[in-house]
Amino acid sequence: MEEEGIVSIWLGNFESRDALAAYAENRFRQNENGEPVPSFTQDFFDGDLWPFEPEVFDYELNEVASENPAVVAEPLGAAMAAALAELYPKGFEQSYNAVLAVYDYQFEGSRYVPGAPVRFAGSLSYIER
């Protein structure tokens, strides 16, 4: 649901930026109305075309995968990197090279969707304290 000041984060591994963009944006599937839906929203938002405003959606790929939350989230900026590191102080259980972020949105769905190339990591405040 929309919530100002909150960012929801997903993590994954992709071979290239093009592969990440294909998952995040390209429309591979269709909803019940025949509209093409990005695989990301199909996996985590029950096939809604855009359950959030597209301009609040960002995704980035690191050249090297890491278990360090600050490294994985670094392309989103220092504040996001620090906040994700605070959420996962011991690091991740596996390495990731991609981060997807939906700003002003509190995701309340499943952390893990079988077959999805990303998993939900958490929602956190992006407003500086």
Side-chain angles (χ1 to χ4, degrees):
M1 86 175 93
E2 289 184 27
E3 188 166 332
E4 190 171 330
I6 299 294
V7 60
S8 294
I9 304 282
W10 287 260
L11 306 169
N13 287 297
F14 291 85
E15 293 179 16
S16 67
R17 176 137 175 95
D18 288 343
L20 174 57
Y23 176 71
E25 289 186 13
N26 292 355
R27 283 115 167 106
F28 291 120
R29 303 175 184 157
Q30 293 184 347
N31 65 13
E32 63 278 354
N33 297 325
E35 299 167 306
V37 177
S39 295
F40 172 66
T41 58
Q42 182 72 37
D43 287 344
F44 289 92
F45 296 92
D46 297 324
D48 285 351
L49 183 57
W50 282 109
F52 47 82
E53 296 297 321
E55 59 270 1
V56 300
F57 180 49
D58 191 14
Y59 55 89
E60 297 292 338
L61 184 75
N62 288 309
E63 294 197 20
V64 178
S66 178
E67 293 177 4
N68 183 334
V71 171
V72 176
E74 189 274 329
L76 298 177
M80 286 284 83
L84 195 60
E86 188 176 307
L87 189 61
Y88 288 90
K90 295 182 180 182
F92 302 128
E93 68 284 351
Q94 71 180 65
S95 295
Y96 296 103
N97 72 349
V99 59
L100 294 85
V102 179
Y103 292 88
D104 295 329
Y105 196 90
Q106 173 78 44
F107 182 70
E108 297 175 346
S110 175
R111 283 192 175 274
Y112 175 74
V113 173
V118 298
R119 75 172 190 85
F120 178 65
S123 296
L124 44 104
S125 173
Y126 68 87
I127 296 178
E128 293 192 33
R129 302 173 215 177

